[in-house]
Amino acid sequence: MAIKFARRMKGLKGSEIRELLKLTENPEVISFAGGLPAPELFPIEEMKKISTLVLEESGAAALQYSTTEGFPALREHIADRMNSKNKTNITKDDILITNGSQQGLDFAGKVFLDEDDVVLCESPSYLGALNAFKAYSPKFIEVPTDQHGMKMDELEKILETTDRVKMIYVIPDFQNPTGRTWPMERRQKFMEIINKFEIPVIEDNPYGELRFEGENLPSLKSMDMKGLVVFLGSFSKIFCPGYRIGWTCAPKEILSKFVFVKQGADLQASSISQREVSKFMDIYDLDAHVEKLKEVYSRRRDLMLDTMAKELPEGLEYTHPEGGLFTWVELPSHLNAKVIMQDCLKNNVAYVPGGSFFPNGGKENCFRLNYSTMTDERIVEGITRLGAVLKQHMEVKAKA
Amino acid sequence: MAIKFARRMKGLKGSEIRELLKLTENPEVISFAGGLPAPELFPIEEMKKISTLVLEESGAAALQYSTTEGFPALREHIADRMNSKNKTNITKDDILITNGSQQGLDFAGKVFLDEDDVVLCESPSYLGALNAFKAYSPKFIEVPTDQHGMKMDELEKILETTDRVKMIYVIPDFQNPTGRTWPMERRQKFMEIINKFEIPVIEDNPYGELRFEGENLPSLKSMDMKGLVVFLGSFSKIFCPGYRIGWTCAPKEILSKFVFVKQGADLQASSISQREVSKFMDIYDLDAHVEKLKEVYSRRRDLMLDTMAKELPEGLEYTHPEGGLFTWVELPSHLNAKVIMQDCLKNNVAYVPGGSFFPNGGKENCFRLNYSTMTDERIVEGITRLGAVLKQHMEVKAKA
């Protein structure tokens, strides 16, 4: 007997990151593979107070079904925050609460994509988004990037010569996996192009508030005059991922489709989680919490980059992220990060091989490192181990 | 400018129930339209203790990302419970935690359905499931039912003569919307037919534990010898919906596809909600809680049925549910429940018109009543108001 699944299931495999995380659960392994926020900074004591307070003040409502759009007070907090941090001019009615921003990615696929439609994305791009979109069987065209993100002349060329482009997926701030940020001119040029071709844009922004240096730049959403930009936000990186609370901010016509899709997908986000996150913002200072995160992550980034300069072999390139959680390493083109990863695991250190961040494959000489989760000691020790493995591989190849 | 959405969006509309719930938010309206559990029975005091305890014992893990499959201890609780209540023989490895059982419906559509594939369902069937499946653009064939649920000879006839049947969606216990339950012989006959045709079955069981009378019957899942039955369960009706914790129990090959789909859809269910529900089951008696619910709901069902017998006009038929949340009313065939609903709203009483529970439309002389949410006084008053409106409509037609 063979059960007949939908065609789309042929293209879907488990995320390489998730499978790797399983291998690296061994506490001996120093894993730079994840994208986890630092658990020692979670506001556990505060949340004890908050959870009691929410149940005392509105227990019955917190435990009951509520509306698909989400808890109004939380949506107001988010609108205020976006207007302040992302320079938008929105209200709570522009917001739908989702299960992390990941759910917004799935919904974007559902709302926009028929089989064989084209999605444009940065090359490389976030693996979890590519996997979410793949469920709707699109084709991907990767737009070339440089150290400042997507190359706008390349984007324009692709749009001029390609049919059925249904959406463009981008992470302009501290991109996953590269850590790169688009400068102002690129954002302006991008919006010019978008306005000309009138293609919906998914602006994924889970890391935007985690800027360690340089100037805060306006979101694409804030520059959207034609109702084309869908902004995805999340509390996972600035607060805690455990509640699974994120949001979609979209133009009315698009948002109403996302709300329909949310109804069918799971009715609504958790009533109690929404109220708890909202209450935290009522009585504590989320900005101050984010400042604390930035201080720690910024120090860890510095330590990682300094240790990389000392311990990694010559002939590599890596990014200097101005914020976010990741740096991205490119090896000489003859090396394969998936192969080297096997030796890394033998030496109890891990990263994410870069190949799976390219939806059309073919680039294996790169990997992603995360610096937000580790203690200082483990960062130094892990990068030192990594450096030793890489040196071996680069020497072998040099001799061969 | 016209944004191009996916073709599937043409068929998707907001759930009629959700739109109605908005109209009935006015506290003057006695609404039998919802499907809400009684909020006065939520274990608020217990959850205060639980939430503090979870944060004290495992705060960092509760607020962090975790695995896609779900929290192991919760999955063990669920496996034990299903083995006891649903007569299955499963382990935690057969369980995926989802956002309510609704998310399992969406995933079933994603995993099994290509455009124009056929879904069989009971006629009528749960509106929220139909809407979830519609996102994958299938065709629906409604299998006729009688007071004992799906008619098995009709099912067999349809399977013999229909191509591309990819799944069969059923609610054998206290069905939504009718409140009907399949007797043992139907379950056995159903499994015989399924084994012959080898079609995957989605057994939706959110209400199964809420049996007020009669004997507990084995789940289809427990009678599945060929790995065809996907069982969807939920804590929403036996505990609280606010946490959005449900589960899918499926044969290995199918479950692994659901897990892939969960990764792309939203990575995982809430870490903290899963731990809280699990901890409740560790230290409190969920069975005793369910007994309390059954006592209250059973009394409300009796009161509603007694009041209906007194206050509704002659010439109607309605179900006597042995459990669950709903009864189903059929009017004489010339009457339209959507039209009558307008008069009901004027008289501050509401139900869900039955038409939208038929995926292919065409049956408008029926409606669904919920008895779990209301106080005794409001049940009597609401049914009395409803009776007055119905009498008017039936008299007008009788005179005409």
Side-chain angles (χ1 to χ4, degrees):
Chain A
M1 185 189 69
I3 291 173
K4 281 190 200 121
F5 295 104
R7 281 195 305 278
R8 70 176 63 85
M9 297 311 294
K10 280 182 201 142
L12 284 186
K13 296 175 300 177
S15 144
E16 205 158 346
I17 293 186
R18 291 254 146 189
E19 296 309 311
L20 265 176
L21 283 179
K22 283 181 195 166
L23 281 181
T24 59
E25 266 168 19
N26 177 349
E28 298 287 301
V29 176
I30 298 179
S31 174
F32 302 119
L36 308 185
E40 69 274 20
L41 302 176
F42 291 152
I44 297 177
E45 287 309 313
E46 290 86 340
M47 292 319 295
K48 271 196 227 166
K49 279 182 211 152
I50 293 285
S51 56
T52 303
L53 202 57
V54 165
L55 285 165
E56 259 164 21
E57 289 178 358
S58 54
L63 301 180
Q64 186 59 289
Y65 287 110
S66 56
T67 61
T68 300
E69 290 82 352
F71 182 52
L74 176 62
R75 292 158 68 214
E76 259 167 42
H77 273 304
I78 290 170
D80 289 348
R81 199 164 182 87
M82 279 188 64
N83 291 342
S84 145
K85 310 286 176 188
N86 306 113
K87 322 285 186 212
T88 52
N89 181 19
I90 59 159
T91 74
K92 79 171 204 321
D93 297 330
D94 303 306
I95 301 288
L96 165 70
I97 305 297
T98 55
N99 304 327
S101 52
Q102 182 72 29
Q103 192 174 44
L105 296 168
D106 178 49
F107 290 176
K110 214 174 206 175
V111 163
F112 290 115
L113 298 179
D114 289 314
E115 196 169 347
D116 294 330
D117 279 346
V118 173
V119 176
L120 304 190
C121 64
E122 292 156 296
S123 178
S125 186
Y126 168 50
L127 177 55
L130 304 177
N131 278 337
F133 302 153
K134 272 181 194 164
Y136 304 96
S137 309
K139 290 176 176 158
F140 292 97
I141 296 182
E142 301 173 39
V143 184
T145 58
D146 61 18
Q147 72 269 34
H148 300 302
M150 187 176 265
K151 291 166 85 165
M152 295 306 154
D153 50 339
E154 301 275 358
L155 171 66
E156 197 160 13
K157 247 186 279 174
I158 291 168
L159 284 171
E160 271 162 3
T161 55
T162 312
D163 285 334
R164 294 187 65 174
V165 177
K166 290 289 275 294
M167 67 187 204
I168 307 180
Y169 171 69
V170 295
I171 314 167
D173 295 87
F174 322 126
Q175 199 230 16
N176 183 353
T178 64
R180 290 174 189 142
T181 297
W182 300 9
M184 191 60 195
E185 312 75 60
R186 291 252 172 133
R187 292 168 195 246
Q188 284 164 336
K189 184 70 191 164
F190 180 84
M191 290 311 299
E192 258 174 49
I193 297 171
I194 293 316
N195 282 334
K196 183 168 146 201
F197 289 91
E198 297 184 342
I199 309 287
V201 172
I202 312 302
E203 178 182 23
D204 195 3
N205 192 335
Y207 320 109
E209 287 199 35
L210 299 174
R211 178 178 276 282
F212 317 142
E213 62 187 52
E215 205 186 331
N216 191 23
L217 294 169
S219 60
L220 302 177
K221 178 81 201 156
S222 72
M223 304 159 76
D224 177 24
M225 297 301 142
K226 283 190 153 182
L228 290 165
V229 178
V230 176
F231 179 104
L232 305 181
S234 174
F235 287 101
S236 293
K237 304 305 190 297
I238 58 172
F239 180 60
C240 315
Y243 294 99
R244 311 302 303 121
I245 298 293
W247 68 91
T248 296
C249 172
K252 263 184 198 18
E253 186 191 2
I254 298 176
L255 194 72
S256 70
K257 308 278 183 191
F258 275 63
V259 173
F260 291 162
V261 159
K262 176 79 179 163
Q263 279 187 14
D266 60 5
L267 302 181
Q268 56 157 111
S270 159
S271 310
I272 186 162
S273 292
Q274 291 185 74
R275 283 174 185 265
E276 287 180 359
V277 175
S278 187
K279 182 61 76 179
F280 181 91
M281 295 171 85
D282 287 344
I283 67 176
Y284 293 106
D285 183 350
L286 182 54
D287 281 350
H289 181 71
V290 172
E291 283 306 315
K292 226 174 17 181
L293 299 180
K294 283 160 63 171
E295 201 186 300
V296 174
Y297 292 173
S298 159
R299 206 192 59 237
R300 289 180 181 172
R301 175 205 61 174
D302 290 343
L303 182 63
M304 181 174 273
L305 293 177
D306 289 349
T307 315
M308 287 166 78
K310 277 184 224 144
E311 300 294 339
L312 299 198
E314 301 275 307
L316 306 177
E317 288 186 18
Y318 46 87
T319 53
H320 178 101
E322 293 181 347
L325 308 184
F326 305 111
T327 179
W328 175 253
V329 182
E330 299 211 15
L331 301 166
S333 59
H334 62 275
L335 290 177
N336 184 318
K338 235 182 239 169
V339 174
I340 297 174
M341 176 71 170
Q342 300 307 322
D343 279 346
C344 285
L345 282 171
K346 282 178 208 154
N347 288 276
N348 286 332
V349 61
Y351 53 66
V352 186
S356 44
F357 295 99
F358 298 88
N360 301 321
K363 190 145 189 221
E364 298 295 351
N365 64 319
C366 40
F367 57 86
R368 189 190 76 180
L369 294 173
N370 163 270
Y371 48 75
S372 59
T373 322
M374 292 286 150
T375 60
D376 292 2
E377 294 69 32
R378 280 170 82 84
I379 289 176
V380 172
E381 174 60 25
I383 295 295
T384 305
R385 288 182 198 172
L386 175 63
V389 173
L390 289 176
K391 273 173 198 160
Q392 278 182 350
H393 279 265
M394 290 179 73
E395 276 166 21
V396 168
K397 281 287 173 180
K399 278 183 201 158
Chain B
M1 184 189 69
I3 290 173
K4 280 190 198 120
F5 295 105
R7 281 195 306 278
R8 69 177 63 84
M9 298 311 295
K10 281 183 200 141
L12 286 186
K13 296 174 301 178
S15 144
E16 206 158 344
I17 293 186
R18 292 254 145 189
E19 296 308 312
L20 265 176
L21 283 177
K22 283 181 196 167
L23 281 182
T24 59
E25 266 167 22
N26 178 349
E28 299 286 301
V29 175
I30 298 180
S31 174
F32 303 118
L36 307 185
E40 69 274 20
L41 302 176
F42 291 152
I44 297 177
E45 287 309 312
E46 290 86 339
M47 292 318 295
K48 271 195 227 166
K49 280 182 209 151
I50 293 285
S51 56
T52 303
L53 203 56
V54 165
L55 285 166
E56 259 164 21
E57 290 179 356
S58 53
L63 300 180
Q64 186 59 286
Y65 287 111
S66 56
T67 61
T68 300
E69 290 82 353
F71 182 51
L74 176 62
R75 291 159 68 214
E76 260 167 42
H77 273 304
I78 290 169
D80 290 349
R81 199 165 180 87
M82 280 189 63
N83 291 341
S84 146
K85 309 287 176 190
N86 307 112
K87 320 287 186 212
T88 53
N89 181 20
I90 59 159
T91 75
K92 77 172 206 321
D93 296 329
D94 302 306
I95 301 288
L96 165 71
I97 306 296
T98 55
N99 303 329
S101 51
Q102 182 72 28
Q103 192 175 42
L105 296 169
D106 178 49
F107 290 176
K110 215 175 206 176
V111 164
F112 290 114
L113 299 179
D114 289 314
E115 195 169 344
D116 293 331
D117 279 345
V118 173
V119 176
L120 304 189
C121 65
E122 292 156 297
S123 177
S125 186
Y126 168 50
L127 177 55
L130 304 177
N131 278 336
F133 302 153
K134 272 181 195 164
Y136 304 95
S137 308
K139 290 176 175 158
F140 292 95
I141 295 183
E142 301 173 39
V143 184
T145 58
D146 61 18
Q147 73 269 33
H148 301 302
M150 187 177 267
K151 291 167 87 165
M152 295 306 153
D153 50 340
E154 301 275 358
L155 171 65
E156 198 160 14
K157 246 187 279 174
I158 291 169
L159 283 171
E160 271 163 5
T161 54
T162 312
D163 286 332
R164 294 188 64 176
V165 177
K166 290 289 277 294
M167 66 187 204
I168 307 179
Y169 171 70
V170 295
I171 313 167
D173 295 86
F174 322 127
Q175 200 230 16
N176 183 352
T178 64
R180 290 175 189 142
T181 298
W182 300 9
M184 190 60 194
E185 312 74 58
R186 290 251 172 135
R187 292 167 196 246
Q188 285 164 337
K189 184 70 191 164
F190 180 83
M191 290 313 297
E192 257 174 49
I193 296 170
I194 292 314
N195 283 334
K196 182 169 147 202
F197 289 91
E198 297 186 340
I199 308 287
V201 173
I202 313 300
E203 178 181 23
D204 196 3
N205 193 336
Y207 320 109
E209 287 199 34
L210 300 175
R211 178 177 275 283
F212 316 142
E213 63 186 53
E215 205 185 332
N216 191 23
L217 294 170
S219 60
L220 302 177
K221 178 82 199 156
S222 71
M223 304 159 78
D224 177 25
M225 297 301 144
K226 283 190 153 183
L228 290 165
V229 178
V230 176
F231 179 103
L232 306 182
S234 175
F235 287 101
S236 293
K237 304 306 190 296
I238 58 171
F239 181 60
C240 316
Y243 294 98
R244 308 303 303 120
I245 297 293
W247 68 89
T248 297
C249 172
K252 259 180 201 25
E253 188 191 2
I254 298 175
L255 194 72
S256 70
K257 309 277 183 192
F258 274 63
V259 173
F260 292 162
V261 159
K262 176 78 179 163
Q263 279 187 14
D266 59 6
L267 301 180
Q268 56 157 111
S270 160
S271 310
I272 186 162
S273 292
Q274 291 186 72
R275 283 174 184 265
E276 288 180 359
V277 176
S278 187
K279 182 62 74 180
F280 181 92
M281 294 172 84
D282 288 344
I283 66 177
Y284 293 106
D285 184 349
L286 182 54
D287 281 352
H289 181 71
V290 172
E291 282 306 315
K292 225 173 20 180
L293 299 180
K294 283 159 63 173
E295 201 185 301
V296 174
Y297 293 174
S298 160
R299 206 193 58 236
R300 288 179 183 174
R301 177 205 59 174
D302 291 343
L303 181 62
M304 181 175 273
L305 292 177
D306 289 350
T307 315
M308 286 166 77
K310 276 183 227 145
E311 301 294 339
L312 299 198
E314 301 274 309
L316 308 178
E317 290 186 17
Y318 47 87
T319 54
H320 177 101
E322 294 181 345
L325 308 184
F326 305 111
T327 180
W328 176 253
V329 182
E330 298 210 16
L331 301 166
S333 60
H334 61 273
L335 289 177
N336 184 319
K338 234 182 241 170
V339 174
I340 298 175
M341 176 71 171
Q342 301 307 323
D343 280 347
C344 285
L345 283 172
K346 281 179 210 154
N347 289 276
N348 286 331
V349 61
Y351 52 67
V352 186
S356 44
F357 295 98
F358 299 88
N360 301 321
K363 189 145 191 221
E364 299 294 351
N365 64 319
C366 40
F367 57 87
R368 190 190 75 180
L369 294 174
N370 164 270
Y371 47 75
S372 59
T373 323
M374 292 285 150
T375 59
D376 293 2
E377 294 68 32
R378 281 170 81 83
I379 287 175
V380 172
E381 173 61 25
I383 295 294
T384 306
R385 289 182 197 171
L386 175 63
V389 173
L390 289 176
K391 274 174 197 156
Q392 277 184 349
H393 280 265
M394 289 179 73
E395 276 166 21
V396 168
K397 281 287 175 178
K399 279 184 201 157

